[in-house]
Coordinates of all heavy atoms in Angstrom, one line a residue:
M30 N 26.4 98.0 94.1 CA 27.4 96.9 93.7 C 26.7 96.1 92.7 O 25.5 95.8 92.6 CB 27.7 96.1 95.0 CG 28.2 96.8 96.1 SD 28.8 95.8 97.5 CE 30.3 95.1 96.9
G31 N 27.5 95.6 91.7 CA 27.0 94.8 90.6 C 28.0 94.0 89.9 O 29.2 93.9 90.4
W32 N 27.5 93.3 88.9 CA 28.3 92.4 88.1 C 28.2 92.8 86.6 O 27.1 93.0 86.1 CB 27.9 90.9 88.3 CG 28.1 90.5 89.7 CD1 27.3 90.5 90.8 CD2 29.4 89.8 90.2 NE1 27.9 89.9 91.9 CE2 29.1 89.5 91.5 CE3 30.6 89.5 89.6 CZ2 30.1 88.9 92.3 CZ3 31.6 88.9 90.3 CH2 31.3 88.6 91.7
Y33 N 29.4 92.8 85.9 CA 29.4 92.9 84.5 C 30.1 91.7 84.0 O 30.8 90.9 84.7 CB 30.2 94.2 84.1 CG 29.5 95.5 84.4 CD1 29.3 96.0 85.7 CD2 29.1 96.3 83.3 CE1 28.7 97.1 86.0 CE2 28.5 97.5 83.6 CZ 28.3 97.9 84.9 OH 27.7 99.1 85.2
R34 N 29.9 91.4 82.7 CA 30.6 90.3 82.1 C 31.2 90.7 80.7 O 30.6 91.6 80.1 CB 29.7 89.1 82.0 CG 28.6 89.2 81.1 CD 27.6 88.0 81.2 NE 26.5 88.0 80.2 CZ 25.5 87.2 80.3 NH1 25.6 86.2 81.1 NH2 24.6 87.3 79.4
Q35 N 32.2 90.0 80.3 CA 32.8 90.3 79.0 C 33.2 89.0 78.4 O 34.0 88.2 78.9 CB 34.0 91.2 79.1 CG 34.5 91.6 77.7 CD 35.5 92.8 77.8 OE1 36.1 93.0 78.9 NE2 35.6 93.5 76.8
A36 N 32.6 88.6 77.3 CA 32.9 87.4 76.5 C 34.0 87.8 75.4 O 34.1 89.0 75.1 CB 31.7 86.9 75.8
P37 N 34.7 86.8 75.0 CA 35.8 87.2 73.9 C 35.1 87.9 72.7 O 34.1 87.4 72.1 CB 36.3 85.8 73.6 CG 36.1 84.9 74.8 CD 34.7 85.4 75.3
G38 N 35.8 88.9 72.3 CA 35.3 89.7 71.2 C 34.1 90.5 71.3 O 33.5 91.1 70.4
K39 N 33.6 90.6 72.6 CA 32.4 91.4 72.8 C 32.7 92.5 73.9 O 33.7 92.4 74.6 CB 31.3 90.5 73.4 CG 30.9 89.5 72.4 CD 29.8 88.6 72.9 CE 28.4 89.3 73.1 NZ 27.4 88.5 73.7
Q40 N 31.8 93.5 73.9 CA 31.9 94.6 74.9 C 31.5 94.1 76.3 O 30.7 93.2 76.4 CB 31.0 95.8 74.5 CG 31.4 96.4 73.2 CD 32.7 97.3 73.3 OE1 33.1 97.7 74.5 NE2 33.3 97.6 72.3
R41 N 32.1 94.7 77.3 CA 31.6 94.4 78.6 C 30.2 94.9 78.8 O 29.9 96.0 78.4 CB 32.6 95.1 79.7 CG 32.3 94.7 81.1 CD 33.4 95.3 82.0 NE 34.7 94.8 81.6 CZ 35.8 95.1 82.4 NH1 35.7 95.9 83.5 NH2 37.0 94.7 82.0
E42 N 29.4 94.1 79.4 CA 28.0 94.4 79.6 C 27.5 94.3 81.0 O 28.0 93.4 81.7 CB 27.1 93.5 78.7 CG 27.2 92.1 79.0 CD 26.2 91.3 78.1 OE1 25.5 91.8 77.3 OE2 26.4 90.0 78.1
L43 N 26.5 95.0 81.4 CA 25.9 94.9 82.7 C 25.1 93.6 82.8 O 24.3 93.3 81.9 CB 25.0 96.1 83.0 CG 24.2 96.0 84.3 CD1 25.1 96.2 85.5 CD2 23.2 97.1 84.3
V44 N 25.3 92.9 83.9 CA 24.6 91.7 84.2 C 23.5 92.0 85.2 O 22.3 91.7 85.0 CB 25.5 90.5 84.6 CG1 24.6 89.3 85.0 CG2 26.5 90.2 83.6
A45 N 23.9 92.5 86.4 CA 23.0 92.8 87.4 C 23.6 93.8 88.4 O 24.8 93.9 88.6 CB 22.6 91.5 88.2
V46 N 22.7 94.6 89.0 CA 23.2 95.6 89.9 C 22.2 95.6 91.1 O 21.0 95.5 90.9 CB 23.2 97.1 89.3 CG1 23.4 98.1 90.4 CG2 24.3 97.1 88.3
V47 N 22.7 95.8 92.3 CA 21.8 96.1 93.5 C 22.2 97.4 94.1 O 23.4 97.7 94.3 CB 22.0 94.9 94.5 CG1 23.4 94.7 95.0 CG2 21.1 95.2 95.7
T48 N 21.3 98.2 94.4 CA 21.5 99.6 94.9 C 21.5 99.6 96.4 O 21.2 98.6 97.1 CB 20.5 100.6 94.3 OG1 19.1 100.2 94.8 CG2 20.5 100.5 92.8
V49 N 21.8 100.8 96.9 CA 21.9 101.0 98.4 C 20.6 100.6 99.1 O 20.6 100.2 100.2 CB 22.3 102.4 98.7 CG1 21.2 103.5 98.3 CG2 22.5 102.6 100.2
G50 N 19.4 100.8 98.4 CA 18.2 100.4 98.9 C 17.7 99.1 98.6 O 16.5 98.7 98.8
D51 N 18.6 98.3 98.1 CA 18.4 96.9 97.7 C 17.5 96.7 96.5 O 16.9 95.7 96.3 CB 17.8 96.0 98.9 CG 18.9 95.8 100.0 OD1 20.0 95.8 99.7 OD2 18.4 95.6 101.2
G52 N 17.3 97.8 95.8 CA 16.7 97.6 94.5 C 17.6 97.0 93.5 O 18.8 97.0 93.7
T53 N 17.1 96.2 92.6 CA 17.9 95.4 91.6 C 17.5 95.7 90.2 O 16.4 96.1 89.9 CB 17.7 93.9 91.9 OG1 16.3 93.6 91.8 CG2 18.2 93.6 93.3
N54 N 18.5 95.5 89.3 CA 18.3 95.6 87.9 C 19.0 94.5 87.3 O 20.2 94.2 87.6 CB 18.7 97.0 87.3 CG 17.9 98.1 87.8 OD1 16.7 98.2 87.5 ND2 18.5 99.0 88.6
Y55 N 18.5 93.9 86.2 CA 19.0 92.8 85.5 C 19.1 93.0 84.0 O 18.1 93.6 83.4 CB 18.3 91.5 85.8 CG 18.3 91.0 87.3 CD1 17.3 91.5 88.1 CD2 19.3 90.3 87.7 CE1 17.3 91.1 89.4 CE2 19.3 89.9 89.1 CZ 18.3 90.3 89.9 OH 18.3 89.9 91.2
A56 N 20.1 92.4 83.4 CA 20.0 92.4 81.9 C 18.9 91.4 81.5 O 18.5 90.4 82.2 CB 21.3 91.9 81.4
D57 N 18.2 91.7 80.4 CA 17.1 91.0 79.9 C 17.5 89.5 79.7 O 16.7 88.6 80.0 CB 16.5 91.5 78.6 CG 15.8 92.8 78.8 OD1 15.4 93.1 80.0 OD2 15.6 93.5 77.8
S58 N 18.7 89.2 79.3 CA 19.1 87.9 79.1 C 19.3 87.0 80.3 O 19.3 85.8 80.2 CB 20.5 87.9 78.3 OG 21.5 88.6 79.1
V59 N 19.3 87.6 81.5 CA 19.5 86.8 82.7 C 18.3 86.9 83.6 O 18.3 86.2 84.7 CB 20.8 87.2 83.4 CG1 22.0 87.2 82.5 CG2 20.6 88.6 84.1
K60 N 17.3 87.7 83.3 CA 16.1 87.8 84.2 C 15.5 86.5 84.4 O 15.3 85.7 83.4 CB 15.1 88.8 83.6 CG 15.5 90.2 83.7 CD 14.5 91.2 83.1 CE 14.9 92.7 83.3 NZ 13.9 93.6 82.7
G61 N 15.1 86.2 85.6 CA 14.5 84.9 85.9 C 15.5 83.8 86.2 O 15.1 82.7 86.7
R62 N 16.7 84.0 85.8 CA 17.7 83.0 86.1 C 18.8 83.4 87.1 O 19.3 82.5 87.8 CB 18.5 82.6 84.7 CG 17.5 82.1 83.7 CD 18.3 81.6 82.4 NE 19.1 82.6 81.8 CZ 20.4 82.7 81.7 NH1 21.1 81.7 82.2 NH2 21.1 83.6 81.1
F63 N 19.2 84.6 87.1 CA 20.2 85.2 88.0 C 19.5 86.0 89.1 O 18.5 86.6 88.9 CB 21.2 86.0 87.3 CG 22.1 85.3 86.3 CD1 21.9 84.0 85.9 CD2 23.2 86.0 85.7 CE1 22.7 83.4 85.0 CE2 24.0 85.4 84.8 CZ 23.8 84.0 84.5
S64 N 20.1 86.0 90.2 CA 19.7 86.8 91.4 C 20.8 87.4 92.1 O 21.8 86.7 92.4 CB 18.9 85.9 92.4 OG 18.4 86.7 93.4
I65 N 20.8 88.7 92.2 CA 21.9 89.5 92.9 C 21.4 89.9 94.3 O 20.2 90.2 94.5 CB 22.3 90.7 92.1 CG1 23.5 91.3 92.7 CG2 21.1 91.8 92.0 CD1 24.2 92.5 91.8
S66 N 22.3 89.8 95.2 CA 22.0 90.2 96.6 C 23.2 90.8 97.2 O 24.4 90.8 96.7 CB 21.5 89.0 97.4 OG 22.6 88.0 97.5
R67 N 23.0 91.6 98.3 CA 24.1 92.4 98.9 C 24.0 92.3 100.4 O 22.9 92.3 101.0 CB 23.9 93.8 98.4 CG 24.9 94.8 99.1 CD 24.6 96.2 98.7 NE 25.5 97.2 99.3 CZ 25.3 98.5 99.1 NH1 24.5 99.0 98.2 NH2 26.1 99.4 99.8
D68 N 25.1 92.1 101.0 CA 25.3 92.1 102.5 C 26.0 93.4 102.8 O 27.2 93.6 102.7 CB 26.1 90.9 103.0 CG 26.1 90.9 104.5 OD1 26.0 91.9 105.2 OD2 26.3 89.8 105.0
N69 N 25.2 94.4 103.2 CA 25.7 95.8 103.4 C 26.8 95.8 104.5 O 27.8 96.5 104.4 CB 24.6 96.8 103.7 CG 23.7 97.0 102.6 OD1 24.1 96.9 101.4 ND2 22.4 97.3 102.9
A70 N 26.6 95.1 105.6 CA 27.5 95.1 106.7 C 28.9 94.6 106.3 O 29.9 95.0 106.8 CB 26.9 94.3 107.9
K71 N 28.9 93.6 105.3 CA 30.1 93.0 104.9 C 30.7 93.6 103.6 O 31.7 93.2 103.1 CB 29.9 91.5 104.8 CG 29.6 90.8 106.1 CD 29.5 89.3 105.8 CE 29.1 88.6 107.1 NZ 28.9 87.1 106.9
N72 N 29.9 94.6 103.0 CA 30.3 95.2 101.8 C 30.5 94.0 100.7 O 31.5 94.0 100.0 CB 31.5 96.0 101.9 CG 31.2 97.4 102.5 OD1 30.0 97.8 102.5 ND2 32.2 98.0 103.1
T73 N 29.6 93.1 100.7 CA 29.8 91.9 99.8 C 28.6 91.8 98.9 O 27.4 92.0 99.4 CB 29.9 90.6 100.6 OG1 31.2 90.8 101.4 CG2 30.1 89.4 99.7
V74 N 28.8 91.5 97.7 CA 27.7 91.3 96.7 C 27.8 89.9 96.2 O 28.9 89.3 96.0 CB 27.7 92.3 95.6 CG1 28.9 92.2 94.7 CG2 26.5 92.2 94.7
Y75 N 26.6 89.2 95.9 CA 26.6 87.9 95.4 C 25.8 87.9 94.1 O 24.9 88.7 93.9 CB 25.9 87.0 96.5 CG 26.6 87.0 97.8 CD1 26.0 87.9 98.8 CD2 27.6 86.2 98.2 CE1 26.5 87.9 100.1 CE2 28.1 86.2 99.5 CZ 27.6 87.1 100.4 OH 28.2 87.2 101.6

């Protein structure tokens, strides 16, 4: 589960993703500022 974003006039880009094993990946522009998490039981991502 993850988050993408799209600003006006720009392509949609990956922001952050959390995998089934709770591994995470972040865009360089948001590292250190954004944090992604997942509640597997609720199928919810934050």
Side-chain angles (χ1 to χ4, degrees):
M30 303 184 74
W32 293 92
Y33 290 70
R34 67 186 182 187
Q35 187 168 23
K39 299 180 65 177
Q40 295 285 342
R41 188 174 300 185
E42 63 178 350
L43 174 68
V44 177
V46 171
V47 58
T48 64
V49 64
D51 288 335
T53 57
N54 292 295
Y55 297 91
D57 288 341
S58 60
V59 306
K60 286 181 179 178
R62 300 188 298 118
F63 291 10
S64 179
I65 190 169
S66 60
R67 174 182 175 183
D68 186 331
N69 293 332
K71 298 180 179 180
N72 286 338
T73 300
V74 64
Y75 307 92

